[in-house]
């Protein structure tokens, strides 16, 4: 079994399955409902074991071969995230979420060099102004990267230098995180003059050239939520992230099963 040209550690694993399980895995279509269920469980087991072993493979620093393999896997998983983000299912959910909560929503891969919510409907105008300057854009990217590096099993919320919150909810293939649903750019505290003075001082220290009156107006019009309201919105993302994870797993399995049987047997 293969993912993006890489052998699953599956040949030996499949031999350990019973005859019925192996048949159910290879040719599910002609089996009874009970055997089809076994086949689905076997596929999920192999998928999760593969992802767990992949996480333990040598790091890019260990060997050149390991580096190439890791880049290919990351690229493959990023491709799955891109397919999900372009799907009608995600677009419909993004539209419904943003219209209901008045918050931006993005689905992004683990590695990205752009601000995920830039240009999104409901993007905070304050954040849009910050993204126009290299130094402040870099600060926002740092928050985005820190969220991705948390290795959390659930939602992660961080606060930027301006006091605005961003949250990321992991999407998985097996046990491996392949991307995040990201939202936020909101304040959990009432914006005030003292806080904006700190922001303005930081921008001056960074040498940022920005229209401060315009920035101040945008800052005071940032979305204000209570912790309870925001947590309820994040719960919606957790539910959707689980659904996206199921779809991502199906994509991986369908791509493998689409490979010609002779090629699959030759690589086993």
């Amino acid at each position: 079994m293969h993912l993006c040209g890489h052998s699953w550690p599956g040949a030996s694993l499949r031999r350990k399955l019973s005859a019925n399980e192996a048949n159910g895995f290879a040719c599910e279509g002609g089996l009874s409902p009970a055997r089809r269920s076994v086949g689905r469980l076997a596929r999920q087991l192999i998928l999760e074991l593969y992802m767990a072993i992949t996480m333990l493979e040598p790091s890019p620093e260990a060997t050149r071969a390991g580096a190439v393999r890791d880049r290919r896997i990351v690229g493959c998983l990023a491709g799955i995230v891109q397919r999900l983000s372009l799907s009608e299912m995600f677009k419909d959910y993004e539209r419904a979420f943003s219209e209901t909560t008045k918050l931006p929503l993005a689905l992004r891969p683990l590695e990205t060099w752009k601000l995920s919510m830039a240009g999104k409907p409901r993007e905070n105008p304050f954040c849009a102004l910050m993204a126009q300057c290299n130094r402040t854009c870099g600060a926002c990217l740092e928050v985005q990267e820190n969220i991705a590096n948390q290795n959390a099993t659930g939602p992660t919320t961080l606060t930027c230098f301006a006091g605005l919150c961003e949250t990321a909810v992991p999407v998985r293939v097996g046990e491996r995180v392949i991307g995040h649903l990201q939202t936020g750019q909101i304040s959990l505290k009432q914006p005030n003059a003292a806080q904006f003075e700190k922001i303005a001082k930081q921008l001056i220290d960074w040498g940022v050239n920005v229209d401060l009156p315009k920035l101040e107006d945008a800052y005071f019009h940032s979305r204000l939520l209570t912790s309870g309201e925001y947590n309820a919105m994040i719960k919606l993302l957790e539910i959707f992230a689980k659904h996206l994870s199921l779809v991502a797993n199906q994509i991986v399995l369908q791509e493998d099963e689409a490979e010609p049987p002779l090629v699959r047997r030759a690589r086993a």
Side-chain angles (χ1 to χ4, degrees):
M1 199 171 189
H2 296 76
L3 173 64
C4 304
H6 299 282
S7 295
W8 292 60
S12 61
L13 289 174
R14 273 183 283 188
R15 284 196 290 271
K16 293 180 182 179
L17 297 173
S18 67
N20 284 345
E21 288 171 327
N23 288 336
F25 182 82
C27 49
E28 179 180 313
L31 301 179
S32 67
R35 293 177 71 185
R36 284 199 297 271
S37 177
V38 170
R40 286 193 292 271
L41 289 173
R43 286 200 301 273
Q44 182 64 24
L45 172 64
I46 292 174
L47 175 66
E48 293 183 359
L49 286 175
Y50 170 75
M51 288 302 172
I53 291 172
T54 297
M55 293 290 286
L56 298 176
E57 287 182 342
S59 65
E61 293 77 14
T63 62
R64 181 174 301 177
V68 172
R69 179 167 56 250
D70 189 72
R71 286 196 298 271
R72 287 177 177 172
I73 292 174
V74 169
C76 176
L77 297 180
I80 294 174
V81 174
Q82 183 180 33
R83 287 178 60 178
L84 291 174
S85 68
L86 296 175
S87 67
E88 288 302 317
M89 172 190 64
F90 175 75
K91 291 178 181 178
D92 287 344
Y93 186 88
E94 178 187 13
R95 187 180 306 110
F97 180 85
S98 293
E99 289 179 356
T100 302
T101 65
K102 307 298 187 291
L103 298 181
L105 176 63
L107 173 60
R108 67 177 188 84
L110 287 179
E111 296 183 0
T112 180
W113 294 103
K114 65 178 183 178
L115 294 171
S116 299
M117 292 186 286
K120 286 285 186 178
R122 306 294 181 176
E123 179 186 12
N124 187 333
F126 176 86
C127 298
L129 288 170
M130 290 290 92
Q132 295 175 8
C133 306
N134 290 337
R135 183 62 183 85
T136 49
C137 180
C140 297
L141 283 171
E142 185 177 357
V143 171
Q144 184 172 277
E145 183 179 1
N146 288 340
I147 291 178
N149 291 337
Q150 293 297 309
N151 295 321
T153 57
T156 298
T157 299
L158 294 180
T159 304
C160 72
F161 81 97
L164 300 179
C165 297
E166 289 201 7
T167 300
V169 181
V171 176
R172 293 180 171 83
V173 167
E175 294 301 316
R176 181 166 186 159
V177 175
I178 63 171
H180 292 89
L181 284 172
Q182 188 167 329
T183 191
Q185 300 184 340
I186 61 97
S187 179
L188 296 176
K189 297 180 180 180
Q190 183 69 47
N192 57 75
Q195 177 64 26
F196 184 76
E197 285 181 9
K198 293 180 181 179
I199 295 171
K201 184 178 184 303
Q202 181 64 78
L203 295 177
I204 292 171
D205 290 344
W206 283 342
V208 174
N209 184 17
V210 63
D211 186 337
L212 285 178
K214 185 177 181 181
L215 188 68
E216 182 177 15
D217 181 68
Y219 170 73
F220 279 100
H221 283 88
S222 294
R223 186 78 192 281
L224 177 64
L225 296 171
T226 66
S227 295
E229 290 171 334
Y230 192 49
N231 289 338
M233 295 173 186
I234 300 308
K235 188 63 178 179
L236 293 176
L237 293 190
E238 286 188 81
I239 295 170
F240 186 50
K242 290 178 181 179
H243 182 64
L244 286 176
S245 297
L246 290 174
V247 175
N249 279 278
Q250 291 172 1
I251 290 175
V252 172
L253 294 172
Q254 288 170 359
E255 288 187 346
D256 179 76
E257 291 175 351
E259 188 176 52
L262 289 176
V263 176
R264 193 157 57 238
R265 285 197 294 270
R267 289 181 175 176

